[in-house]
């Protein structure tokens, strides 16, 4: 009986996100999700967000080093700053969650969500954003959104 309640919690959370498929895949793909409550799912979402923010930061760094087009170099350099900010924003979330500061959690997760989308906005004109970066950014935003949904549920 408990398992179905837990599964429903993940489905319930993910149904409220902007990218339910990314949410389901992220939460169900983590063994800690089994039997986790909302705070447990928040912890998992923060960990996965941080891991993805770091790997996307590394991808941007690689793209920056490979870029020959000066416009792309400038854009990737700007993106690197966005992802550095994002890592900083996410690093503080565990402390806010532990102290049950759900409003602070929401504010800082929102800030972290803005970082990859700010990077994406750099590519509104050609040359285009690397498809690999766009995909990583979309996935990351989908995962950070889980934290926002959970923080709103925890705020009550």
């Amino acid at each position: 009986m408990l398992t179905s309640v837990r599964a429903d919690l993940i489905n319930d959370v993910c149904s409220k996100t902007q990218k339910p498929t990314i949410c389901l895949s992220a939460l169900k793909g983590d063994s800690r999700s089994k039997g986790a409550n909302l705070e447990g799912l928040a912890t998992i979402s923060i960990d996965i967000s941080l891991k993805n923010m770091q790997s996307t930061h590394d991808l941007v760094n690689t793209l920056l080093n490979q870029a020959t087009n000066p416009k792309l170099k400038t854009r990737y350099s700007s993106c690197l700053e966005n992802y550095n900010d994002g890592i900083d924003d996410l690093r503080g979330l565990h402390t806010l969650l532990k102290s049950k500061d759900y409003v602070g959690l929401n504010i800082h997760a929102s800030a972290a969500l803005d970082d990859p989308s700010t990077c994406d906005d750099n590519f509104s004109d050609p040359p285009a954003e690397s498809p690999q970066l766009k995909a990583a950014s979309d996935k990351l935003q989908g995962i950070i959104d889980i934290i926002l949904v959970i923080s709103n549920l925890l705020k009550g």
Side-chain angles (χ1 to χ4, degrees), residues 3-66:
T3 318
S4 66
V5 172
R6 295 307 179 196
D8 289 345
L9 183 60
I10 291 175
N11 291 334
D12 185 43
V13 166
C14 290
S15 71
K16 294 176 168 69
T17 63
Q18 288 172 16
K19 298 179 178 154
T21 323
I22 290 175
C23 176
L24 288 167
S25 153
L27 292 180
K28 290 190 171 173
D30 191 299
S31 59
R32 295 173 296 168
S33 292
K34 256 192 172 54
N37 60 8
L38 273 179
E39 291 190 339
L41 293 178
T43 299
I44 293 163
S45 305
I46 293 167
D47 290 344
I48 298 172
S49 295
L50 201 45
K51 196 176 124 221
N52 277 270
M53 185 75 79
Q54 187 63 59
S55 63
T56 310
H57 171 278
D58 296 344
L59 172 63
V60 170
N61 211 14
T62 303
L63 292 168
L64 173 61
N65 291 328
Q66 291 171 351

Side-chain angles (χ1 to χ4, degrees), residues 37-43 46 89 92-111 144-156:
N37 60 8
L38 273 179
E39 291 190 339
L41 293 178
T43 299
I46 293 167
D89 288 326
L93 296 186
H94 282 302
T95 309
L96 294 165
L97 179 63
K98 277 192 188 93
S99 65
K100 302 196 182 314
D101 179 359
Y102 304 130
V103 173
L105 181 68
N106 188 283
I107 291 167
H108 288 272
S110 292
I144 295 171
D145 187 44
I146 304 169
I147 305 168
L148 289 176
V149 167
I150 293 174
S151 68
N152 284 325
L153 292 170
L154 287 169
K155 277 194 310 195

